Amino acid sequence: MTSAWTPRSAWAGFARAGRHGRPQGEPGVRLTLRDGVGLATVIAADGQEDALGRILADRFGWSLPGSGAATLVGERGLVWSAPGQWLAVAEARAGLQGLAEALRGVAAVTDQSDARAIVRVSGPRARGLLSKGVAVDLHPRAFAAGQAAVTSIAHIGAQIWQRDEAPTYDLAVARSFAGSFWSWLSHAAAEFGYEVDREAEH
Amino acid sequence: MRIRCPYCGERDNGEFSYLGDAAPRRPDGLEAQASAMHDYVYLRDNPAGEHRELWYHGAGCRSWLVVTRDTRTHTISDVSPARDVARSRRPGEAA
């Protein structure tokens, strides 16, 4: 089936592919625009957290992360959002197929794939960049791979999870704030020199 | 001032909203006298010292918290999820 509608990147009109900011040396920060990611909020019904954990483990091979944690294998898994609430993440929306049906009666599942803008932040100065806007201690002693936080950056609500010790972070903001968020991100990254990996699809 | 959210850890107070005294309990609207509603809505103690108050972690986990704070020094001695406080409370008992 064809459609008159074409997917548009959340970062379209804001992010530009290529090298930006300080021109000397290697870029300190790499920004990877992540489009088409499958996202869904999972909110446990009262008293059903154990049942939810069991179903997710049996059916999807996922373990339910505790407060401030993320359990991801590759691009799939769960990020803690609030007590009894998680963000399910998959490479694409199709990766979350069957989730709502499997969790019927134990959790409310709401597709958020179109609701968030996600950018991956890596490179040698990734931590220094985020430290300028995140009021959470990102020092490796306090925040390491597999940890997650819901906080605000430049007065914009943001969810952040660290993927590896490089360090690599994924950042999610409400899609309608993508422009304002990019304004902060690009200005904050300029002093380190940054590279945007590809053009945002229009 | 920072508040140690029981879920998120220590966070800047800009992430939270203040509601006020955690003690008042809303009277039953159908049963209560007007004077009881008046007291519930308007009357507050203003202690110099320990105060139990409600804060909302709006920029974080969106949980309501009961924070025990010394109003003279802003020293916070306890932060508990408001739902746990409410569930452990007997009917009619103040927070």
Side-chain angles (χ1 to χ4, degrees), chain B residues 24-67:
Chain B
R25 301 208 65 197
R26 188 182 176 86
D28 184 325
L30 295 175
E31 298 288 329
Q33 302 287 320
S35 61
M37 283 310 284
H38 173 277
D39 291 358
Y40 167 72
V41 174
Y42 294 111
L43 294 191
R44 294 290 182 273
D45 291 333
N46 185 21
E50 207 168 76
H51 191 226
R52 279 160 68 78
E53 51 202 19
L54 286 164
W55 289 78
Y56 177 61
H57 194 189
C61 62
R62 289 167 284 159
S63 295
W64 282 97
L65 307 170
V66 175
V67 175

Side-chain angles (χ1 to χ4, degrees), chain A residues 135-155:
Chain A
V136 172
D137 188 359
L138 296 179
H139 190 279
R141 269 200 311 265
F143 200 92
Q147 281 183 266
V150 180
T151 183
S152 62
I153 299 174
H155 302 279

Side-chain angles (χ1 to χ4, degrees), chain A residues 11-12 108 202:
Chain A
W11 305 109
H202 285 261

